[in-house]
Amino acid sequence: SIWEAVPYVEGNDNLIQLFIDSILSKVDTHEAIVDYWNNEGNVRNIHVKMTHFMQDQSVYLVVITDLTQLFKVNSALIRYTSPDIADYALMTAEGEKSGGMTKNVTILMSDLRGFTALGAKLSAEELIKVLNHYFEAMVAVIQKYRGTVIEFLGDGIFTVFGAPKDVPEHATQAVKCAVEMQAALKDVNEWNAQNGYPNLEMGVGINTGEVVVGNIGSDKKMKYGCM
């Protein structure tokens, strides 16, 4: 019984459906990644592969791989870098090497005007709350236009368009992004006003040219950078 390998727990409809699809399908192998809730109420991300023996349609080889820890590592890497940089580090040969390559890209730098004065008016906890809300709105716009956030520099955002992944018309995308970032700041300031925080003003600088992009640092500490 399959439930000897995976204890049956109610509510795991996706896993049960996978078994049904595998039995009803005409292909030799059926596989998918599904969420599995165990008896302790914790969710596991598992890869299930079912292969039936050609001579006997009722006998299956089932291979289950727990990908939960891998998913957690990948999710953390994305949050601390960006989706494109995570893919670059995990999925490409260049991601394992130090050094870089010359590319024509567009750099976008944004920062808040009067940030030092703003910091003097707010507590540390309030300042982080205001910044996080601001960053949340700006990063959503940047990702919409396929920009890659290299890092946050205090209140600044260092973004590149065209690396690590190629972006057609990266200069145009960066300019469109900057315009929408300024528009998004209006909503940010409405939220600030509702919560008793000061109004924010933002400047954006854009430049296009050749840079060296890639892994900068040492074998023990490295980051994806742009020079």
Side-chain angles (χ1 to χ4, degrees):
S1 170
I2 187 66
W3 305 119
E4 293 176 7
V6 183
Y8 175 76
V9 181
E10 289 186 7
N12 284 298
D13 296 341
N14 289 337
L15 181 61
I16 296 171
Q17 189 62 50
L18 172 64
F19 296 151
I20 295 172
D21 291 343
S22 180
I23 293 170
L24 296 179
S25 67
K26 302 298 184 181
V27 297
D28 295 337
T29 300
H30 202 89
E31 60 183 315
I33 296 174
V34 296
D35 291 338
Y36 168 69
W37 294 88
N38 61 22
N39 287 314
E40 288 75 39
N42 299 318
V43 65
R44 312 295 296 183
N45 308 113
I46 60 174
H47 176 268
V48 183
K49 182 176 182 179
M50 296 185 65
T51 305
H52 70 74
F53 289 92
M54 295 301 294
Q55 68 274 20
D56 190 342
Q57 290 278 349
S58 64
V59 179
Y60 286 80
L61 172 66
V62 182
V63 179
I64 299 172
T65 307
D66 190 344
L67 302 177
T68 307
Q69 192 61 32
L70 179 63
F71 275 32
K72 286 183 178 179
V73 171
N74 188 58
S75 177
L77 185 59
I78 288 173
R79 290 198 308 273
Y80 278 89
T81 56
S82 74
D84 286 346
I85 295 176
D87 285 347
Y88 173 83
L90 294 174
M91 307 301 293
T92 68
E94 292 79 9
E96 300 179 3
K97 305 174 184 177
S98 60
M101 64 179 69
T102 301
K103 292 192 73 173
N104 186 275
V105 303
T106 298
I107 302 294
L108 182 151
M109 296 285 289
S110 67
D111 72 333
L112 295 177
R113 302 307 192 199
F115 178 71
T116 303
L118 178 66
K121 297 178 183 178
L122 303 174
S123 67
E125 292 78 8
E126 289 175 326
L127 187 61
I128 291 296
K129 190 173 183 179
V130 169
L131 277 178
N132 283 348
H133 183 258
Y134 162 75
F135 286 143
E136 187 80 27
M138 295 303 119
V139 170
V141 176
I142 291 168
Q143 290 182 343
K144 175 182 175 180
Y145 289 96
R146 299 183 62 189
T148 297
V149 176
I150 301 296
E151 59 185 320
F152 299 116
L153 304 167
D155 62 309
I157 307 175
F158 176 14
T159 304
V160 60
F161 293 79
K165 293 183 178 180
D166 293 333
V167 176
E169 299 183 347
H170 49 77
T172 301
Q173 292 294 96
V175 173
K176 289 181 178 180
C177 178
V179 173
E180 190 161 328
M181 287 171 68
Q182 291 287 9
L185 189 62
K186 296 178 181 179
D187 292 334
V188 171
N189 280 327
E190 287 182 7
W191 182 88
N192 285 355
Q194 292 170 2
N195 290 275
Y197 298 128
N199 194 66
L200 301 178
E201 294 183 6
M202 177 180 65
V204 181
I206 300 171
N207 194 50
T208 299
E210 285 195 347
V211 300
V212 177
V213 292
N215 292 326
I216 300 172
S218 69
D219 289 340
K220 298 186 183 297
K221 173 66 176 177
M222 193 174 293
K223 75 167 186 175
Y224 184 85
C226 179
M227 302 289 286

